[in-house]
C-alpha cells in the first residue's frame, strides 16, 4: 500500500475517533448540561456543533479519497485494498 494511502487511513482513523467523541458529547446532552450549568458558554456550544459538522464533512471527503484509491472500509473499521480478479480475464 502506498504511503499516501496509509496517511489517508491514519487521518480517517483519527477524524472518525474525534467525530465519535463529539457526537457522544452532543447525543448525551453533556454539552447542553454544561451550558445550563454555566460551565460551557453558548459560543463554546456553537463551536462544538460546528466542529461536528466540519468533521463529518472531512470524514466524508476522506472516505471518497480512500474509495478512489481502491480502499474498502468495513463496518467494524477495518481497511482493505481492492484486488482485481484477473483469473476471469485469463480464461
Amino acid at each position: 500500500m502506498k504511503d499516501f494511502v496509509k496517511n489517508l487511513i491514519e487521518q480517517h482513523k483519527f477524524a472518525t475517533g474525534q467525530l465519535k467523541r463529539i457526537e457522544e458529547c452532543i447525543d448525551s446532552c453533556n454539552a447542553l448540561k454544561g451550558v445550563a450549568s454555566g460551565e460551557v458558554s453558548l459560543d463554546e456550544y456553537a463551536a462544538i456543533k460546528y466542529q461536528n459538522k466540519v468533521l463529518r464533512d472531512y470524514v466524508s471527503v476522506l472516505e471518497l479519497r480512500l474509495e478512489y484509491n481502491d480502499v474498502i472500509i468495513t463496518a467494524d473499521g477495518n481497511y482493505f485494498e481492492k484486488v482485481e480478479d484477473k483469473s476471469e480475464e485469463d480464461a
Side-chain angles (χ1 to χ4, degrees):
M1 200 175 287
K2 298 176 190 173
D3 286 339
F4 171 73
V5 175
K6 289 178 184 177
N7 188 16
L8 283 177
I9 290 171
E10 290 305 314
Q11 288 178 40
H12 185 264
K13 286 179 183 179
F14 179 77
T16 52
Q18 293 296 315
L19 182 60
K20 286 178 186 174
R21 289 179 61 207
I22 290 173
E23 286 178 342
E24 286 173 5
C25 179
I26 293 170
D27 293 343
S28 69
C29 295
N30 283 341
L32 282 176
K33 289 175 187 173
V35 171
S37 69
E39 294 175 20
V40 177
S41 72
L42 285 176
D43 289 340
E44 290 171 321
Y45 180 73
I48 291 169
K49 295 286 283 186
Y50 181 74
Q51 187 177 15
N52 183 49
K53 181 193 177 313
V54 169
L55 272 173
R56 215 178 312 126
D57 292 345
Y58 182 58
V59 167
S60 296
V61 168
L62 288 172
E63 288 171 353
L64 288 172
R65 291 177 75 189
L66 287 166
E67 183 181 328
Y68 179 78
N69 284 284
D70 297 326
V71 175
I72 299 169
I73 306 168
T74 63
D76 58 348
N78 292 320
Y79 302 84
F80 296 98
E81 199 168 10
K82 289 182 189 175
V83 179
E84 291 184 28
D85 186 8
K86 295 187 180 192
S87 62
E88 293 177 9
E89 294 175 6
D90 296 338

